[in-house]
Amino acid sequence: ILNVEQSPQSLHVQEGDSTNFTCSFPSSNFYALHWYRWETAKSPEALFVMTLNGDEKKKGRISATLNTKEGYSYLYIKGSQPEDSATYLCASTNAGNNRKLIWGLGTSLAVNP
Amino acid sequence: NAGVTQTPKFQVLKTGQSMTLQCAQDMNHEYMSWYRQDPGMGLRLIHYSVGAGITDQGEVPNGYNVSRSTTEDFPLRLLSAAPSQTSVYFCASSDKHEGYEKLFFGSGTQLSVL
C-alpha cells in the first residue's frame, strides 16, 4: 500500500449502535498514525496519535488500535450518539518522508437518532 | 484560548487577483503548515515551516508563496489566482515536526476563484 486508505467511505448507523472503521497505511518505515474527527463546518480535531504496534488508545466511547506490521488501524465507537456524526480522518507518516502526513479520504459517519 | 486563528473564512476572487490568507497561532508551535481540501481528495500539503525563517514546499506548492518571519504567523499568498485554486484551505500547527504530534487546525477558508 502506497497511500492511506479508509473504509467504508460512509456509514449510517442508529443511535446506540457500536461501529468501527478501518485505516490502511504503508507499513514500511512506519512512524506514526493519526486519527482526527471532522465535524461539518468545523475544523479537524485530533483524537489519537499512535506509534507502537499493538497500541490501543481510548477517549470516552471512542477507541483505536494499531497494527504496524500489517499496516492497519481500527477506530471503534461504542454506543454511537448523534453528536458522533462527523468525518473521521486518518493519516500516517513514515520515517523516510520527512515526517509528512499522508491523509486518507475519511469515513463519513451519520448517526440517526 | 485562541489556538490557530485563520482569516478570512470566505473569499471570492477573480482570476488573476492576488490575496493573502492569514494564519496565526498562540501556542508557540514550531511547525506550521497549509493544506487544501478538495472533493474526493485527501488533505494535500501546500507549504510548511519548521520554525521562523524556514519554509519548504509540500505536495502542491505551485501558485502559492509563504513566509515565516515570526513563530506566530504563517501567511499564504496566492500570487495570481486561478479557478484551479478554488478550494477549502486549512492552516495547521503542532509543537514540533517529529510526526507524532497532534495537529491543531484553523477554522478554514473557503476560496472561490471565478
Side-chain angles (χ1 to χ4, degrees), chain A residues 31-34 36 38 41-51 59 89 93 98-105, chain B residues 31 35 37 40-45 48 56-59 88 90 97-108:
Chain A
Y31 197 71
L33 191 284
H34 294 231
Y36 289 80
W38 191 358
K42 294 189 178 180
S43 52
E45 263 185 52
L47 287 171
F48 309 113
V49 180
M50 296 184 286
T51 57
K59 187 176 182 177
L89 295 175
T93 183
N98 203 22
R99 306 285 195 265
K100 291 175 191 170
L101 287 168
I102 305 169
W103 294 85
L105 298 183
Chain B
Y31 179 78
Y35 285 94
Q37 168 71 54
M41 307 189 82
L43 287 166
R44 291 186 293 168
L45 183 65
Y48 67 99
D56 207 347
Q57 295 182 350
E59 275 179 85
V88 180
F90 287 97
H97 183 46
E98 299 295 334
Y100 51 75
E101 302 87 359
K102 293 179 182 178
L103 281 176
F104 292 80
F105 283 84
S107 54

Side-chain angles (χ1 to χ4, degrees), chain B residues 12-113:
Chain B
V12 178
L13 292 177
K14 293 181 181 176
T15 297
Q17 285 185 314
S18 61
M19 79 157 294
T20 299
L21 306 185
Q22 302 292 345
C23 178
Q25 51 88 13
D26 61 0
M27 297 173 281
N28 203 33
H29 283 172
E30 287 185 4
Y31 179 78
M32 296 186 76
S33 56
W34 279 101
Y35 285 94
R36 60 179 288 174
Q37 168 71 54
D38 300 294
M41 307 189 82
L43 287 166
R44 291 186 293 168
L45 183 65
I46 304 171
H47 284 284
Y48 67 99
S49 168
V50 297
I54 306 169
T55 63
D56 207 347
Q57 295 182 350
E59 275 179 85
V60 288
N62 292 341
Y64 307 95
N65 270 0
V66 291
S67 59
R68 185 97 180 265
S69 54
T70 66
T71 300
E72 294 78 19
D73 300 298
F74 190 47
L76 177 74
R77 295 183 193 83
L78 279 71
L79 308 171
S80 176
S84 60
Q85 293 178 305
T86 293
S87 188
V88 180
Y89 292 84
F90 287 97
C91 177
S93 73
S94 64
D95 187 22
K96 294 191 186 303
H97 183 46
E98 299 295 334
Y100 51 75
E101 302 87 359
K102 293 179 182 178
L103 281 176
F104 292 80
F105 283 84
S107 54
T109 297
Q110 192 166 319
L111 175 69
S112 296
V113 183

Side-chain angles (χ1 to χ4, degrees), chain A residues 26-39:
Chain A
S27 55
S28 61
N29 294 320
F30 169 83
Y31 197 71
L33 191 284
H34 294 231
W35 280 102
Y36 289 80
R37 182 170 176 273
W38 191 358
E39 285 183 75

Side-chain angles (χ1 to χ4, degrees), chain A residues 10-22:
Chain A
S10 65
L11 199 52
H12 292 255
V13 301
Q14 288 299 124
E15 183 175 352
D17 288 350
S18 293
T19 186
N20 66 85
F21 6 103
T22 306

